[in-house]
Amino acid sequence: MTTTKDRLDAPTRRDLLRGAGAGAGALGAMAAGLPTLAIAQDGPIVWVAYGGSTQEAQKKTIVAAFMADTGIEVIPASGPDLAKLKAQVQTGNLEWDVIGVIGSQAIRAGRAGLLEKMDYSIVDTADLDIPPLEYCAPYYSYGGGIGYDPARHPEGRHPTNWQEFWDVERFPGRRGLRNRPDENLEMALMADGVAARDLYPLDVDRAFASLDRIKPHVSHWIAGTPQTISLLTQNEIDFVFTYSGRVEAAQRDGQSVAYVYENNIVTGAYVAVTRGSRNRDAAMRLVSYFLKPELQAAFCNIMGYGPSKSTARAHLEPEVLARQPDLQDPGTAITDVEWWAENGEAVTTRFKTWLLT
Amino acid sequence: MAEMVRLDGITKAYGETVALHPTDLSIREGEFVTLLGPSGSGKTTLLNLIAGSTAPSAGEIWLKGRDVTQVPANRRELGMVFQNYALFPHMTVAQNVAFPLTLRRRPRAEIRREVMRALELVHLPHVAKRKPRELSGGQQQRIAIARSLVYNPSLILMDEPLGALDRKLREALQFEIKKLHEELRMTVLYVTHDQEEALTMSNRICLMNEGRMEQVAPPQEMYFRPATEFAAGFLGVSNIIRVAVEGRGAIRVGERFALSGVPGLTAAPGEVVPVMIRPEAIRLAAGSAAENVLEAEVEDVVFLGGVTNLVVRTGQGERFTVRQLTRRSDAGWQGGMPVSLSFDASDVVPLNGAAPQ
Amino acid sequence: MRFIAPALVLLVAAFLLPLLYVVYLSFGGSSPSLEKYAAIATEPLYRQVLLNSVYISVVSTGLTLLLGYPIAYHLEAQPPRRRTVLMILVLMPFWTSILVKSFAFTVILGKSGIINSFLQWATGMEGHLPMLFNRFGVVVGMTHFLLPFMVFTVLASLLTQGPELRRAANVMGATRLTIFWRIIFPLSLPGVMAGILICMIMSMAMFITPALLGGRGDLMISNLVEFHVRDTLDWEMASALAVCLLAITGVFCIGIARVRGGQLFGEEG
Amino acid sequence: MARQTTIEERVPSAATRLIAWLGYAFLLMPSLVVLPMSFGTGTEFDFPPKSFSLDLYREYFSEPSWVASTLTSLQVAAASAALSLLIGGLAAYGIVRYQFRGKKLLTIFLLSPMLVPTIVVALALYLYLGIARATGTTWGLILCHAVVCVPYVIVTMMAGLRQVDRNLEIAATIMGASWFGVLTRVTIPLLRPTILASGLFAFLISFDEVVISFFVSGVRTQTLPVKMYSTIHWEISPVLAAVSSLLTILSLGICILVAALQKER
């Protein structure tokens, strides 16, 4: 399958107009004359993220500080969908200025020409644990690992690493994995004996061979992150791939769930600026706030995620710090988002086909 | 009296099929004209043309000296009564009757007065506040009649208004409509397929067949001097036989039965023409002694209470229906009895244009 | 005609033109090619998913009809006021977000869910019935979503039948079963067909329910459209898949119109 | 319309009633599960809840974005229901009451949004509105929803119009009413139940619509289903259970009220 990446840079508004045919063009032109909600030059910044309590925590810490310091209003929106981003850039009808996205999505968007190049003269990259990228800057990381119910599987009765997760003899139980290749391939390779530090470039064939072995024991290939916890608490699944932040939130609710902090797969979350944003400079300044160590720490103290700057760790609460996946630990894998941006589509198609058969 | 309706060569065709051949008709003010005919004869088409719910293919419609061919239905100042009453189910009886008056923006006091007057005319002032569905069929039709006359339209169209009622009610309402017509001097165009209704109520009957007017005449004339075989057959019971013309006004019916002085006979001697004799005009005697009679044999005797119908068969094989007032002494009629028939020349009606219209 | 004009304008401007744009995109947009269609034809994933979609749609629609017809029939027989109340009941699922509903279904259908717990308690059986994260779960979720549409379409055609025919048949000595199968059912066929059509098409287009309640094999064509729209940003591929989806629904429509002698909805004549 | 039928014709058999009631139960079941969940506590869905409270309702009402998106949803649903009732109703009237060339084809076209999978419509509309610079506007969203609702309105209104006795309209015309008078004084009052039903249907379809709205709605026009759907990446807030229950109970109340009022006439 081919991708459209190389062509994505090219289409312009005029192209689209021509494409939509005369009628559409006429209507488009007509409607373009009507007043729209387009954001004015020095108007507020629209910041889009995944919503929920994560965005709420960011709003209360990082964004609040930015607004207090600069006096620039930030309007939060949720659902940083790449399709919407692409349509906005293609049609020139921009709604978003700053986008918070995870992993490979950010790179894919950057390559597709949907993002501004990061202005690292404004955004400070010193002390980053996760490397900064051309189009986006990392501001926190989240660890993925094994979740289980300690009431049903006390100490010694649950897997503590991916080799054990794959070992259905020693640890019988229903497994839950995600319905996409991201993270699954890493797990499969680690289960097959590849060291966390030697994962990339991924040996896709070997990963699928390893996945073949666990396939019969996976009772659900989970579509949405929330389901990783709810299926555990409803006793539909025994061992699940989930994220530390989700497990901790459930624990705060008094749910009987536990998480293995070893052998985690750590992925970066990034902020970026929409290509052509009319608030580019203000947006870059907001991005720089996302990389301020003390603000990162304030956010991570609420959500339990890991800051991207090593200097932020000094500001973390002790119990939050204790629950951080150790990035220096050789058992911790750090997702290579560049590899995924490059190979994601082909691997996903293969994965979906593999699921069906 | 003034002319209320005039139709000039009015025609209706749907593509190839002609629903109404070119038709002329004139209705005087205060006249009660009935369109009579079997279903599919064109009477409803004619009514709809006058009502304005269909447009004619050719010809002109004049109402009260005004050409209304192009005038929409709502400006023709007509009233109409439907077979299924067509009372508005969402309005009370009073609101239904008031409807045409409110459309004309009459003052409220006048409306109230006129509605009560109309309801009193149909003897139903006490149901004013009820909904139509709470009334019997006969009551509903009375309301519909009240509604059609409350605003004194120049012409009231009635489309088989009694078709859905049982016999007793039908007769009662026939009487009431006739009375209203006489009291209020309304002009009525009435559609029915029921000959008795037509005979009882009309000033003139307009007999229709296959999209044409067969004959237009007052009921008496229509009954006693039908012009065509269809007219003779449609109204009442008739004996239609073919006779040979022997001379001016002279016919021969059977070997021993000839008549002279038949009125309206125009056919040349030697021709065979159809003539009609009403069953009640035939005299019947037992045996075959008398001179100048038709010899026949009784086939069937049908006792109908006040009258008795006999079916007799002549030597030539022609059947006659003979109607006699029942007398106790006649009880002796029996099948197989030889009888002799006779009738007067003045009771013989030549058909198919043999008589001038 | 003048009555239809506003609807016509809206649909041409906000439906037909966008749709034509999708077709245009599917053929490669400004650089025309059949590349995407070739990929669909050769890639086994797409064929499998197409088959899946048709299978799941047919089964869900069938189940919806089996459940929806009796409901519509029952509603039709109720006095108006009671019917209104029951119709509100049928519309209830609309008010609950599809996400919440999907969660509720995991509670109901799961291994330790309400139904399995009840069965274990009532029959003392060991183990459980697998009802979730498989095709059964998808079909249940879809049926739940489709049911109101079927019920209302069938109900509309049942309500237009006068009681006269049934009474006549009754007088002629027909039993209740005969009246149903010889009169009521054939007369309601336009509604049934319209209901089938709507449900088939809606179920072909669903992607949230199969993702949340289905097993690993229950990928639908709409999931792939969504995947290409939102993940790979390959809109030409998404458009090509959408056009295939359109073609399939087109075939449905033609098939149903055939069955009904050139009438798609039974309303256009 | 009053129907006179004997008891035996109208009561469905025991088997039919059983299936129908099972059907009602099936339709109701998720709502019955969601209701207790809405009285739970904490930040995750929980059934059965470990403790009962009104926390989720409190959270719903104290969070402006929940209330705002609910209002947006109600507003968009009401507007698109009204719009589709107006133009769909007129179209149905034209189709049922008038003859013209190409009627059959035109009808199929008017109903065809029903025949096109929503994801396809969603993508198409999003690109298209982007060109027209109408994404993120309320009127754009309303138009898109109207496109989806119009066919349902047309179908139900056509069925309703066919049940209105043509003679009633003719009678009114002959008594002197203009076509507008006939429409407002006779046809519309007679169609009231149908109008209510199709309006409600359109409202609900718009209110429940997530796929198209997800694409077309903007920062300031986020509808409730979109707000729910766009947070799913990390979590489903249990406030959703409270929202759903609230809406269910509210709608139930309104509908029962309407039903009661209808009978009063």
Side-chain angles (χ1 to χ4, degrees):
Chain A
M1 186 189 289
T2 58
T3 68
T4 47
K5 272 174 212 136
D6 6 272
R7 229 178 292 141
L8 282 183
D9 288 298
T12 60
R13 188 166 137 73
R14 198 175 306 136
D15 260 338
L16 278 169
L17 280 176
R18 209 180 312 132
L27 192 97
M30 216 168 69
L34 296 168
T36 62
L37 283 175
I39 284 107
Q41 193 77 36
D42 42 0
I45 298 176
V46 176
W47 156 63
V48 63
Y50 288 110
S53 54
T54 309
Q55 190 172 11
E56 200 54 37
Q58 290 163 0
K59 198 169 110 190
K60 275 194 277 191
T61 54
I62 301 166
V63 174
F66 172 79
M67 281 176 27
D69 290 356
T70 62
I72 299 171
E73 196 196 345
V74 175
I75 298 170
S78 57
D81 195 75
L82 285 199
K84 291 190 81 169
L85 178 63
K86 178 177 168 181
Q88 284 177 31
V89 174
Q90 270 195 357
T91 60
N93 187 26
L94 295 187
E95 278 189 72
W96 302 334
D97 299 297
V98 175
I99 306 153
V101 282
I102 52 157
S104 55
Q105 297 240 328
I107 298 187
R108 211 177 287 158
R111 291 186 181 196
L114 307 179
L115 301 175
E116 287 283 330
K117 275 209 169 86
M118 264 300 131
D119 187 343
Y120 286 118
S121 64
I122 298 176
V123 180
D124 178 16
T125 56
D127 310 311
L128 276 175
D129 276 345
I130 296 166
L133 300 166
E134 192 178 2
Y135 292 100
C136 48
Y139 68 115
Y140 76 89
S141 65
Y142 55 94
I146 299 163
Y148 62 97
D149 179 353
R152 278 182 279 142
H153 301 279
E155 209 54 46
R157 304 275 302 278
H158 64 81
T160 57
N161 58 45
W162 298 113
Q163 269 166 337
E164 290 180 356
F165 191 90
W166 251 243
D167 190 344
V168 293
E169 308 277 294
R170 262 179 70 202
F171 301 100
R174 298 153 299 179
R175 265 69 170 166
L177 292 176
R178 300 305 296 270
N179 67 345
R180 54 172 196 227
D182 318 46
E183 290 146 339
N184 276 337
L185 295 194
E186 282 90 340
M187 282 175 233
L189 288 170
M190 288 193 277
D192 205 33
V194 179
R197 289 292 135 113
D198 306 330
L199 284 173
Y200 298 96
L202 298 179
D203 183 341
V204 177
D205 290 336
R206 184 174 172 183
F208 274 102
S210 172
L211 280 171
D212 277 336
R213 293 201 297 279
I214 197 74
K215 197 176 184 180
H217 307 284
V218 176
S219 71
H220 186 43
W221 300 84
I222 298 165
T225 305
Q227 266 187 316
T228 59
I229 301 295
S230 62
L231 293 181
L232 204 58
T233 56
Q234 283 168 53
N235 192 15
E236 294 298 325
I237 270 175
D238 294 301
F239 311 120
V240 71
F241 172 83
T242 184
Y243 303 104
S244 59
R246 293 285 85 221
V247 172
E248 286 153 19
Q251 284 169 341
R252 284 195 290 275
D253 268 6
Q255 307 272 19
S256 169
V257 283
Y259 182 75
V260 178
Y261 288 88
E262 281 78 48
N263 210 184
N264 273 202
I265 299 166
V266 175
T267 308
Y270 300 81
V271 263
V273 175
T274 311
R275 169 85 151 259
S277 161
R278 270 159 292 186
N279 302 304
R280 182 187 166 280
D281 289 349
M284 287 294 173
R285 281 176 73 193
L286 178 56
V287 171
S288 74
Y289 271 70
F290 273 91
L291 269 76
K292 282 189 194 290
E294 59 288 359
L295 293 177
Q296 281 191 352
F299 159 63
C300 292
N301 278 333
I302 299 174
M303 294 307 296
Y305 295 121
S308 66
K309 293 226 171 177
S310 51
T311 41
R313 289 179 174 262
H315 304 281
L316 288 181
E317 311 272 348
E319 61 268 32
V320 175
L321 193 59
R323 294 177 140 190
Q324 290 300 314
D326 186 355
L327 293 182
Q328 318 308 322
D329 179 355
T332 302
I334 296 175
T335 308
D336 181 350
V337 288
E338 306 242 24
W339 188 90
W340 279 106
E342 195 67 52
N343 301 290
E345 189 171 342
V347 169
T348 303
T349 305
R350 179 167 173 183
F351 185 81
K352 285 189 191 286
T353 316
W354 176 82
L355 271 186
L356 283 178
T357 48
Chain B
M1 252 184 269
E3 185 180 55
M4 184 60 83
V5 181
R6 186 159 54 98
L7 305 181
D8 265 348
I10 200 86
T11 309
K12 182 69 188 179
Y14 297 97
E16 293 289 287
T17 47
V18 180
L20 188 69
H21 293 280
T23 298
D24 302 319
L25 179 69
S26 167
I27 301 174
R28 289 184 310 277
E29 194 177 337
E31 202 177 10
F32 194 119
V33 174
T34 298
L35 297 176
L36 177 68
S39 50
S41 59
K43 55 189 196 301
T44 303
T45 305
L46 185 54
L47 192 80
N48 286 338
L49 286 168
I50 297 172
S53 43
T54 41
S57 313
E60 283 172 6
I61 301 167
W62 292 70
L63 277 174
K64 254 185 162 174
R66 180 169 71 120
D67 180 1
V68 296
T69 318
Q70 303 301 328
V71 174
N74 56 334
R75 305 237 185 82
R76 292 192 183 185
E77 285 295 313
L78 299 171
M80 186 154 173
V81 179
F82 295 80
Q83 179 173 11
N84 67 354
Y85 325 133
L87 293 175
F88 304 124
H90 59 295
M91 299 180 190
T92 63
V93 165
Q95 285 168 333
N96 261 286
V97 178
F99 184 80
L101 299 175
T102 47
L103 281 177
R104 285 165 180 74
R105 300 184 195 285
R106 299 276 176 79
R108 279 176 66 175
E110 185 193 330
I111 291 179
R112 204 171 312 132
R113 201 173 59 238
E114 290 295 311
V115 167
M116 278 325 278
R117 194 180 67 93
L119 286 178
E120 267 156 23
L121 278 173
V122 296
H123 313 299
L124 285 171
H126 54 285
V127 301
K129 293 213 164 63
R130 290 202 222 155
K131 286 281 177 71
R133 63 165 171 270
E134 296 163 40
L135 305 180
S136 70
Q139 287 174 321
Q140 290 192 46
Q141 198 56 294
R142 281 199 179 97
I143 301 300
I145 292 166
R147 187 179 66 175
S148 74
L149 53 79
V150 70
Y151 55 110
N152 300 317
S154 41
L155 171 70
I156 295 178
L157 306 169
M158 297 195 179
D159 190 5
E160 309 216 14
L162 309 182
L165 303 176
D166 63 45
R167 192 183 171 79
K168 262 232 158 91
L169 258 173
R170 209 155 62 210
E171 281 170 3
L173 268 170
Q174 279 173 17
F175 176 72
E176 272 190 50
I177 293 174
K178 196 169 162 56
K179 225 177 89 198
L180 280 172
H181 166 243
E182 281 160 9
E183 277 173 23
L184 305 173
R185 296 166 193 282
M186 333 181 276
T187 316
V188 177
L189 183 61
Y190 191 99
V191 166
T192 184
H193 61 261
D194 183 315
Q195 39 159 319
E196 271 180 45
E197 218 166 273
L199 291 170
T200 328
M201 304 174 75
S202 324
N203 297 126
R204 271 195 304 158
I205 293 172
C206 167
L207 184 67
M208 302 207 53
N209 183 35
E210 292 177 341
R212 283 176 217 278
M213 280 194 190
E214 199 80 21
Q215 188 176 1
V216 184
Q220 296 255 332
E221 187 187 330
M222 189 68 97
Y223 186 80
F224 289 113
R225 312 292 317 163
T228 64
E229 256 189 274
F230 175 80
F234 194 80
L235 263 94
V237 184
S238 56
N239 295 297
I240 297 168
I241 52 172
R242 268 146 229 286
V243 296
V245 179
E246 292 199 314
R248 193 162 171 76
I251 54 166
R252 171 158 294 280
V253 184
E255 264 171 50
R256 293 177 54 201
F257 189 50
L259 293 168
S260 56
V262 174
L265 185 67
T266 53
E271 278 187 63
V272 175
V273 296
V275 298
M276 183 210 72
I277 305 108
R278 291 288 176 197
E280 58 271 25
I282 300 176
R283 288 185 300 274
L284 195 64
S288 57
E291 280 296 301
N292 204 21
V293 290
L294 264 172
E295 288 172 332
E297 196 181 288
V298 176
E299 260 191 5
D300 202 3
V301 183
V302 184
F303 171 64
L304 293 172
V307 294
T308 302
N309 277 359
L310 290 102
V311 181
V312 301
R313 195 181 154 104
T314 65
Q316 287 81 20
E318 275 169 330
R319 271 201 188 75
F320 282 86
T321 302
V322 182
R323 179 172 290 176
Q324 296 218 308
L325 288 175
T326 311
R327 274 168 304 215
R328 206 170 281 197
S329 54
D330 294 338
W333 295 120
Q334 273 171 14
M337 270 176 94
V339 290
S340 47
L341 311 178
S342 62
F343 40 82
D344 294 339
S346 58
D347 287 327
V348 175
V349 183
L351 300 173
N352 283 351
Q357 279 200 18
Chain C
M1 239 347 253
R2 65 190 157 154
F3 293 109
I4 296 178
L8 209 57
V9 169
L10 175 76
L11 291 193
V12 168
F15 175 70
L16 187 62
L17 288 177
L19 217 55
L20 288 176
Y21 183 60
V22 164
V23 176
Y24 163 82
L25 260 190
S26 77
F27 288 103
S30 47
S31 49
S33 80
L34 286 172
E35 189 190 314
K36 303 299 174 187
Y37 290 100
I40 292 173
T42 52
E43 186 77 60
L45 173 70
Y46 296 114
R47 218 169 326 142
Q48 184 61 44
V49 169
L50 275 175
L51 284 178
N52 266 355
S53 306
V54 174
Y55 178 89
I56 292 175
S57 298
V58 168
V59 174
S60 313
T61 304
L63 190 65
T64 307
L65 180 63
L66 286 181
L67 202 53
Y69 199 102
I71 295 180
Y73 190 60
H74 184 254
L75 280 174
E76 191 256 351
Q78 302 304 312
R81 183 185 231 173
R82 196 148 163 215
R83 187 192 302 148
T84 314
V85 174
L86 287 173
M87 274 159 75
I88 295 165
L89 217 65
V90 176
L91 288 175
M92 284 274 275
F94 271 109
W95 296 100
T96 307
S97 153
I98 194 159
L99 303 172
V100 186
K101 260 187 295 197
S102 298
F103 180 84
F105 271 118
T106 63
V107 169
I108 294 163
L109 300 175
K111 283 167 193 158
S112 6
I114 293 174
I115 292 179
N116 270 320
S117 307
F118 175 77
L119 286 178
Q120 282 157 1
W121 172 80
T123 65
M125 71 171 191
E126 296 286 315
H128 62 269
L129 295 177
M131 292 183 289
L132 190 62
F133 305 139
N134 52 26
R135 207 146 276 190
F136 183 84
V138 180
V139 169
V140 168
M142 287 208 173
T143 304
H144 190 264
F145 177 81
L146 298 173
L147 210 44
F149 294 94
M150 181 67 87
V151 169
F152 278 88
T153 327
V154 173
L155 178 64
S157 76
L158 283 177
L159 283 174
T160 51
Q161 295 180 18
E164 295 80 13
L165 274 176
R166 297 179 201 182
R167 222 170 332 182
N170 204 8
V171 169
M172 286 183 265
T175 62
R176 190 147 68 180
L177 216 60
T178 328
I179 293 177
F180 179 80
W181 286 112
R182 301 289 293 277
I183 296 170
I184 300 176
F185 186 71
L187 282 176
S188 68
L189 268 180
V192 170
M193 287 297 182
I196 288 177
L197 194 66
I198 291 171
C199 290
M200 283 290 246
I201 288 151
M202 286 198 142
S203 55
M204 290 286 287
M206 284 170 76
F207 62 91
I208 300 173
T209 307
L212 293 181
L213 296 179
R216 63 180 167 88
D218 299 318
L219 199 62
M220 306 258 301
I221 190 161
S222 311
N223 294 93
L224 287 181
V225 176
E226 194 223 1
F227 170 65
H228 284 296
V229 169
R230 300 180 55 192
D231 282 2
T232 67
L233 298 184
D234 186 352
W235 290 354
E236 290 164 13
M237 191 70 205
S239 299
L241 283 170
V243 171
C244 291
L245 196 50
L246 265 181
I248 294 173
T249 54
V251 170
F252 279 159
C253 294
I254 292 169
I256 281 190
R258 269 280 152 75
V259 172
R260 299 174 49 187
Q263 295 260 306
L264 191 49
F265 294 92
E267 301 281 1
E268 56 265 32
Chain D
M1 218 173 294
R3 283 207 199 164
Q4 295 161 331
T5 18
T6 61
I7 297 292
E8 60 182 349
E9 290 165 62
R10 302 219 54 184
V11 176
S13 69
T16 315
R17 270 178 299 171
L18 182 72
I19 300 175
W21 282 106
L22 281 176
Y24 297 132
F26 173 58
L27 283 166
L28 214 58
M29 203 144 65
S31 304
L32 293 180
V33 171
V34 173
L35 196 63
M37 286 200 308
S38 74
F39 294 104
T41 50
T43 60
E44 302 283 331
F45 272 138
D46 200 9
F47 185 88
K50 291 181 184 58
S51 57
F52 289 89
S53 78
L54 288 173
D55 284 1
L56 300 176
Y57 289 92
R58 209 168 295 134
E59 196 179 331
Y60 170 76
F61 283 109
S62 61
E63 173 62 64
S65 71
W66 280 117
V67 180
S69 57
T70 310
L71 289 178
T72 306
S73 273
L74 291 173
Q75 198 184 325
V76 168
S80 47
L83 182 64
S84 44
L85 256 187
L86 185 69
I87 62 179
L90 280 176
Y93 188 78
I95 292 167
V96 173
R97 288 287 187 255
Y98 295 89
Q99 295 299 328
F100 48 88
R101 205 178 305 167
K103 179 163 140 177
K104 193 169 165 175
L105 220 62
L106 215 59
T107 311
I108 292 179
F109 173 66
L110 289 181
L111 300 183
S112 61
M114 235 174 357
L115 308 183
V116 179
T118 37
I119 181 96
V120 179
V121 183
L123 175 64
L125 280 173
Y126 189 54
L127 293 173
Y128 187 71
L129 288 184
I131 297 168
R133 300 252 173 168
T135 50
T137 60
T138 311
W139 63 266
L141 195 58
I142 291 169
L143 280 185
C144 293
H145 281 194
V147 168
V148 182
C149 295
V150 157
Y152 291 95
V153 172
I154 293 182
V155 167
T156 30
M157 293 282 263
M158 276 166 74
L161 269 167
R162 293 228 159 99
Q163 277 180 289
V164 171
D165 184 0
R166 188 89 176 83
N167 277 344
L168 294 177
E169 294 176 337
I170 295 177
T173 308
I174 288 174
M175 284 187 268
S178 62
W179 76 263
F180 186 74
V182 173
L183 200 66
T184 51
R185 283 158 174 268
V186 178
T187 314
I188 288 176
L190 286 174
L191 273 178
R192 217 162 70 166
T194 311
I195 292 172
L196 259 169
S198 51
L200 181 67
F201 218 41
F203 184 91
L204 285 176
I205 288 171
S206 161
F207 195 84
D208 207 35
E209 210 292 320
V210 59
V211 182
I212 294 174
S213 317
F214 179 80
F215 281 96
V216 174
S217 72
V219 177
R220 291 173 186 79
T221 57
Q222 206 172 42
T223 63
L224 201 54
V226 174
K227 181 170 166 61
M228 296 173 180
Y229 189 66
S230 57
T231 62
I232 197 182
H233 186 86
W234 282 122
E235 58 191 40
I236 302 182
S237 167
V239 175
L240 287 187
V243 180
S244 296
S245 305
L246 213 59
L247 291 170
T248 307
I249 293 164
L250 199 72
S251 66
L252 213 60
I254 293 174
C255 292
I256 287 170
L257 201 73
V258 169
L261 285 178
Q262 237 178 342
K263 197 63 190 179
E264 294 298 311
R265 297 191 292 126

